[in-house]
Amino acid sequence: MWMTPKRSKMEIDESRGFRAEWTQRYLVVEPPEGEGALCLVCRRLVVATGEPDVRHHYEAEHDYYERYVAEGERAALVERLRQGDLPEAAPLTPEERAARAGLGLARLLALKGCGWGEGDFVHRCMEVMLRDVLPDHVSVLNGIDLSPEITRQRVLDINQNLRSQLFNRAKDFKAYSLALDDQAFVAYENYLLVFVRGVGHDLEVQEELLTIINLTHHFSVGALMAAILEALQTAGLSLQRMVGLTTTHTLRMIGENSGLVSYMREKAVSPNCWNVIHYSGFLHLELLSSYDVDVNQIVNAISEWIVLIKTRGVRRPEFQALLTESESEHGERVNGRCLNNWLRKGKTLKLIFSLRKEIKTFLVSIGATTVHFTDKEWLCDFGFLVDIMDHLRELSELLRVSKVFAAAAFDHICAFEVKLNLLQRHIEEKNLTHFATLSQVVDELKGHLQEDEKILDPDRYRVVICRLQKEFERHFKDLKFIKKDLELFANPFSFKPEYAPISVRVELTKLQANTNLWNEYRTKDLGQFYAGLSAESYPIIKGVACKVASLFDSSKICEKAFSYLTRNQHTLSQPLTDEHLHALFRIATTEIEPLWDDLVRGRNESNP
């Protein structure tokens, strides 16, 4: 990972100093005194620590001037602004204001997973409210069209606007990584969600949905590969800038000979390319790990109980907390796959275990089988599953925290592997200190069985923990290969230079001797520190910082998409084109704000 990049010819720190190209791009000039950038439009000083500050000011305050797109027009605009001739932004006409309101409502409907026809209902609700509260203003609704056809088109327009903004930002990515999530499903079709995490020279992190691929139409790995490469080419992202690849650990992704990862890594190998770091345990950690630890098909049995409760026990007060939790996850309608995934969460299993006696009473009352409640091995397996999934839940919650960089996430993984070693020793010794639920089951069974009758089989669970250890080792082995790099990135002032790669030792020694940088490191977060680090003085450290920062450090964006899917699975299972699904998922996961004035005035850039 520590390769020597080409040195910059700039004599100032490009991440902190004013850059001449900002004048035409963001309409700012270098101030006569002090640091920052002086806005030519509002004459305010933007205290800039980097390009993001200047861009955010421009996009928030002056995106109207994006209409001056041609090079000649832009140069003429800058000259007029320098002379104090400020072109006035034309106010929105009543029709344009109505269109903007319609776009905003279309976005809200998409975020809530509402059908296209819900817009008419919203329109009627607003009409009733205005008629009673502001009767003189009812007419403002006349220009707001929320018909299904218009709402559908507006969602597509918003998607195109967000997509264009992403592609414009992707041009400046110094390094990027991909996350491939093949657990997205709509009705009977599976989809591959492809997310990109890119980092510019200022170390500003951008995580967005790149594309959605229908796995029904791209069944083979070769077809998948071609679709991903096409999406990268459309976004202007070359494989030479790809640093990391995080996936689920399904066979489609990590199959030894036919998995997508092996194809991607082969394609990414070139003389100028960094080795692609792959790890497959971040995405849906609880869901996919549950299949390794569910030794007695516990979830299948519980799934049958939940279906009975939802159909015949919905009025029972003891189940209201469970039903509320279920509906908050995937709505009132039960989709078998959504239900199965919900039951594979540590939080859900813990709740169901706490209701086991009530569930048994309910099953007896409706004449259903209760054979599992008399099977001591099954009950012990249930208790063990609840405990081990609760430990996985804790790790999963830590890995949902974004913007902490992969070094911190890797620390959580290493700590959990140490924890697994401890759990293995404890289960061998029949020490159930960290298996509270299993301990509770054993105590209950002791009161009903003879003293000499064996209750707990520690070898049964030791094997499960060993299997989980091997899976973690396999999923995160690439991160272990760059362990020193991650440690150096996270702790550059405490890392001993003699343990660093030869190419970085001189820079690291100079960095550790700089008192000013040490003070900045103590007072700023890691991203701000590396953003302000001079690329001229520390080109290797700065380059590797960009690459480490581009690695996915959490599953947050994938969880956001998966949550949107499960909450709205009934709506999304209606006949929708792949284009519309793509639009809905982008709107649900993006952190980019649509450029509303551009949308209203029809200035969307055409798709590249």
Side-chain angles (χ1 to χ4, degrees), residues 13 62 148 150 165 217 274 285 311 324 365 372 415 538 591 602:
D13 177 6
H62 311 304
I150 296 297
Q165 290 189 66
H217 303 152
W274 304 80
L285 177 69
T311 53
T324 301
S365 70
H372 295 303
Y538 306 97
E591 294 183 356

Side-chain angles (χ1 to χ4, degrees), residues 299 301-312 322-323 326 330 334 339 342-343 348 352 359 362-363:
V299 171
I302 294 175
S303 178
E304 295 175 5
W305 298 350
I306 300 302
V307 171
L308 288 173
I309 290 172
K310 280 181 167 284
T311 53
R312 301 178 64 178
L322 179 66
L323 293 170
S326 171
H330 49 69
V334 182
L339 179 63
W342 174 64
L343 291 174
T348 307
I352 292 172
I359 292 173
F362 164 69
L363 294 175

Side-chain angles (χ1 to χ4, degrees), residues 341-476:
N341 293 344
W342 174 64
L343 291 174
R344 293 185 179 277
K345 292 186 175 182
K347 180 182 176 182
T348 307
L349 288 168
K350 205 169 187 177
L351 177 59
I352 292 172
F353 181 83
S354 69
L355 293 169
R356 65 194 184 284
K357 294 179 181 178
E358 290 83 353
I359 292 173
K360 180 180 179 182
T361 303
F362 164 69
L363 294 175
V364 170
S365 70
I366 63 173
T369 181
T370 58
V371 64
H372 295 303
F373 292 94
T374 58
D375 185 341
K376 63 180 177 61
E377 184 181 82
W378 192 93
L379 288 171
C380 286
D381 290 345
F382 188 12
F384 173 78
L385 179 64
V386 172
D387 287 327
I388 203 73
M389 289 305 298
D390 195 45
H391 292 306
L392 284 165
R393 175 193 59 79
E394 292 175 0
L395 174 61
S396 184
E397 287 178 356
L398 290 172
L399 295 179
R400 288 194 189 105
V401 180
S402 62
K403 307 296 174 67
V404 296
F405 302 115
F410 183 61
D411 287 343
H412 296 319
I413 296 296
C414 292
F416 187 76
E417 289 182 329
V418 173
K419 187 177 185 179
L420 286 176
N421 288 328
L422 177 67
L423 293 177
Q424 182 184 347
R425 288 199 305 271
H426 279 193
I427 204 71
E428 288 174 349
E429 300 166 357
K430 295 188 178 180
N431 179 349
L432 302 183
T433 303
H434 297 290
F435 297 92
T437 309
L438 180 57
S439 177
Q440 188 177 344
V441 171
V442 170
D443 290 342
E444 290 176 359
L445 289 174
K446 283 180 179 177
H448 299 89
L449 300 175
Q450 299 177 6
E451 290 185 6
D452 60 344
E453 192 170 349
K454 184 178 180 181
I455 297 174
L456 182 66
D457 180 9
D459 287 339
R460 181 179 178 84
Y461 305 125
R462 181 187 59 80
V463 170
V464 174
I465 295 174
C466 286
R467 182 162 62 237
L468 197 57
Q469 286 175 311
K470 290 179 181 178
E471 287 298 305
F472 265 74
E473 186 176 341
R474 182 164 66 98
H475 298 325
F476 297 105

Side-chain angles (χ1 to χ4, degrees), residues 186-198:
V186 179
Y188 299 104
E189 293 186 339
N190 266 34
Y191 287 81
L192 176 69
L193 304 187
V194 182
F195 300 96
V196 62
R197 175 184 169 105

Side-chain angles (χ1 to χ4, degrees), residues 215-267:
L215 295 176
T216 306
H217 303 152
H218 300 80
F219 185 76
S220 69
V221 173
L224 268 181
M225 183 72 188
I228 293 172
L229 291 177
E230 182 182 357
L232 290 173
Q233 184 178 7
T234 303
L237 293 169
S238 66
L239 285 174
Q240 282 69 31
R241 284 185 282 163
M242 186 167 76
V243 174
L245 192 62
T246 182
T247 67
T248 58
H249 45 273
T250 58
L251 286 176
R252 181 191 289 114
M253 293 291 112
I254 63 171
E256 189 170 345
N257 297 318
S258 58
L260 181 60
V261 171
S262 59
Y263 277 75
M264 289 286 289
R265 295 181 106 167
E266 285 179 15
K267 204 74 176 177

